[in-house]
Each structure stands twice: as C-alpha cells, then as structure tokens.
Amino acid sequence: VDTNLIERITDGIFSKALQVRRMIQRGSTDLMPLPLAEIVALSERAKALLTPEQLAEGADAVACQRWHRPTVEMGVREGYAEWSKQYDGEVTINPLIALEEPVVLEMIGDVAGLDCLDAACGTGRYALRLAESGARVCGVDATPEMLACARQTAEERGLTLNLRDGDLRSLPFEDGSFDLVLSALALCHVPDLRPVMAEFARVLRPGGRLIVSDFHPFCLLIGWRTAFDRPEARYWIETGSYTHL
C-alpha cells in the first residue's frame, strides 16, 4: 500500500467534509453535491488501494471513531467550564498545541524580572511557565473553573500567580502594567478584536511586547472548531468564523 498516497487522499476527504459542514452551517447548500461527489470519488480511490483484510479491519474500527458520536454545541463559558475537568490531561496530546507551543515559547524568550499578562490564561498553560522563568505573572480568564485549575497547579508548584476573573474587553489592570502581554488560542472566540487590542495596548508599557497565537483564518473558514472529546459525545465550543483580516 502506498501510505503517502492514502494519506493525501484522506486529507482530501477530510477537507471536503469540512467544506460540506460549513455549507450546511451557512445555509448555502446549492453547490454541496460537488464536494460530496468528490468525497465519493476519493473514497472509492482509497478503497481500491486497500486489501480486503484492511477494509474489514477498518470497518470494525469505524464505530469507535469520534465522528460517529453525537456532537454537542456549547457556549464559550459553559464549554470551557466543562473542558476544565480534563483540559490539563489533554495538553500533551493536543496536536494544535504541539505545533503552537514551541513557536510561542521561542517568541517569549527571557522574561526573568518582567511583568507579564497571560490574557485568557485558562488553566495556566503559559502563566505557569512564565512564573517558572522568573516573571511576575498576572492572568485573566472568563471561566472560573479554568482559573481554579491554574490556582491549584500554581500552589502545588509553589508559584505565585495573580489570577483574575475578567473580560478581555475590559482588563482589570492599570495602564502600562506589563512588559509582555500573551494571548494564546483564544481570539477565535472574539467577534470584534478592536476593544480587545485596545485593552492590550493600554496595559502594555512603552516598548512592551504582544504575542498572539490562534487558528489560521483558513482553518476557521473550512470549519475547524475548538473541541474536546468524551466517550459519549464530541463537544464543540462556540468558535466564530472570524478571519480578523
């Protein structure tokens, strides 16, 4: 079996399936038969490359796949409150974080002695690292359950974090409070960046740095969503198709 070819075909099927999903979400299904036909053609091509044994094995495994479970849509606050129960256990296996984190850590660099804000800090994925690196760290998040996890981890590690429950559009900090503001994988939930960026600029000191990571706009356009899995269902957290371009 040409595994590289199978992988390319599978990527094509996945992309077309996301395209169909976005058409359904937008209510614009007139052209939907085209990507559906392409999915069928790609599937038949993949099927022709596999042995009967491989096809039988795949059929047995289909029922175990996450896309065969119900999908539950949740709001941002509600969704992250639920996800907080398992979030830290998934960080090491999340493929998006695996791509994002090394790049962001390199951008952060040496923060010893600096005042840093982790905006939408969640369970403290970056806030804890900043504190371990010698920074004075504040964090703000709109989900108390995520903040509770961050506080517990900080206490267990003997770290000091100033964590606040708050909104990115109205940060609970004085003007010019920080040398660094970081916001990681959060702005996809924000429909209008203007008030958020104005707040980031307000709390930054002259010469301070802003680091933002997020979904690529194309990923949102084709249907990517913030999500987590449980045995009974796949949970999608409200993520706007905001391209912020």
Side-chain angles (χ1 to χ4, degrees):
V1 176
D2 185 339
T3 55
N4 288 330
L5 179 56
I6 288 287
E7 184 176 355
R8 291 198 298 273
I9 293 174
T10 303
D11 287 344
I13 293 172
F14 181 66
S15 176
K16 294 299 177 184
L18 289 174
Q19 184 180 351
V20 170
R21 190 176 194 277
R22 291 301 296 146
M23 287 180 174
I24 293 173
Q25 289 175 332
R26 293 175 175 175
S28 54
T29 58
D30 292 347
L31 298 178
M32 196 167 67
L34 179 58
L36 287 173
E38 291 175 325
I39 289 172
V40 171
L42 288 168
S43 300
E44 289 300 320
R45 188 178 179 194
K47 182 178 177 182
L49 295 170
L50 301 174
T51 66
E53 292 76 18
Q54 289 171 323
L55 289 170
E57 183 180 351
D60 291 339
V62 159
C64 301
Q65 301 306 307
R66 68 188 187 192
W67 49 80
H68 283 264
R69 282 174 276 167
T71 298
V72 179
E73 302 276 354
M74 307 183 81
V76 176
R77 187 182 290 269
E78 175 194 12
Y80 277 102
E82 281 298 313
W83 199 6
S84 69
K85 301 172 184 178
Q86 64 194 73
Y87 186 89
D88 285 341
E90 296 181 356
V91 167
T92 57
I93 60 172
N94 186 304
L96 179 58
I97 289 176
L99 291 171
E100 178 255 13
E101 201 165 84
V103 177
V104 172
L105 289 174
E106 183 177 357
M107 294 173 69
I108 290 173
D110 182 11
V111 293
L114 299 184
D115 293 302
C116 300
L117 171 63
D118 187 352
C121 62
T123 62
R125 180 165 66 97
Y126 281 114
L128 294 162
R129 287 176 178 264
L130 291 167
E132 288 171 339
S133 298
R136 293 180 293 274
V137 183
C138 294
V140 62
D141 200 275
T143 307
E145 291 83 354
M146 298 289 272
L147 288 172
C149 293
R151 290 191 180 98
Q152 180 178 343
T153 305
E155 183 178 351
E156 292 170 353
R157 297 185 188 179
L159 299 171
T160 299
L161 297 180
N162 178 5
L163 300 175
R164 310 273 189 93
D165 185 352
D167 191 317
L168 297 185
R169 296 168 297 182
S170 181
L171 295 171
F173 304 105
E174 299 294 326
D175 295 359
S177 296
F178 301 103
D179 302 296
L180 170 69
V181 172
L182 167 68
S183 183
L185 302 180
L187 297 188
C188 57
H189 300 301
V190 177
D192 185 357
L193 285 183
R194 288 172 294 184
V196 175
M197 289 300 174
E199 280 295 274
F200 288 169
R202 180 183 66 79
V203 301
L204 272 172
R205 291 173 180 148
R209 293 188 298 139
L210 170 64
I211 299 175
V212 173
S213 71
D214 209 345
F215 284 102
H216 191 284
F218 177 74
C219 296
L220 293 175
L221 287 173
I222 64 173
W224 282 30
R225 291 294 180 268
T226 304
F228 62 96
D229 291 300
R230 288 187 178 157
E232 73 281 3
R234 180 161 175 78
Y235 293 85
W236 292 78
I237 297 177
E238 181 183 358
T239 308
S241 55
Y242 317 123
T243 59
H244 295 321
L245 296 177

